[in-house]
Amino acid sequence: MNKLLLTAYGFSTSKIINVAQKMIQENKITKACIISTSWPKEKEKHPQMQQIKRDLLSMNIQQVDFLDVEFEDANKLFDYDLIFFEWGLSILPFALHQKKWC
């Protein structure tokens, strides 16, 4: 079963790091993909995305790829144990609209 990790700013706190490491170890995750919501010209080139990739590799994930579901086949998501979704602050208007955090 695929696991989903959603953050607003990568591995920015020790709590996020600890939860991610525990999930990776307990589920024996070896393949991950990163979905970025960065500006289209940057996407995987964005420094924050590159840092996330380095962080995942340092957590003993053997393969970390970027997947742009806007232009690539979303069925590729099934090939990964972990899907890392980087929303940045773009989640805030959605959450407010859904009244999840109001």
Side-chain angles (χ1 to χ4, degrees):
M1 174 188 276
N2 302 53
K3 298 294 178 187
L4 178 66
L5 185 57
L6 169 67
T7 72
Y9 196 72
F11 297 102
S12 56
T13 68
S14 59
K15 185 173 183 177
I16 294 171
I17 293 168
N18 293 337
V19 168
Q21 287 175 328
K22 182 178 179 183
M23 180 177 59
I24 290 165
Q25 290 169 356
E26 288 178 355
N27 294 283
K28 299 177 176 65
I29 291 173
T30 60
K31 290 177 66 178
C33 72
I34 301 168
I35 299 174
S36 170
T37 60
S38 297
W39 185 50
K41 290 186 179 182
E42 290 185 347
K43 295 266 182 179
E44 65 188 57
K45 297 173 187 163
H46 191 281
Q48 183 180 348
M49 297 301 103
Q50 290 299 313
Q51 183 60 51
I52 290 168
K53 181 176 182 175
R54 286 190 297 273
D55 290 342
L56 289 169
L57 290 169
S58 74
M59 293 180 194
N60 295 322
I61 296 180
Q62 298 167 1
Q63 179 182 339
V64 179
D65 301 319
F66 291 94
L67 185 63
D68 189 340
V69 294
E70 188 175 3
F71 299 105
E72 297 179 61
D73 183 4
N75 287 312
K76 290 181 181 180
L77 291 169
F78 294 109
D79 297 336
Y80 296 96
D81 307 315
L82 173 69
I83 301 165
F84 186 100
F85 199 84
E86 173 64 28
W87 272 40
L89 294 177
S90 62
I91 192 172
L92 188 57
F94 172 77
L96 291 173
H97 174 72
Q98 297 296 317
K99 298 181 181 168
K100 300 286 184 193
W101 294 333
C102 294

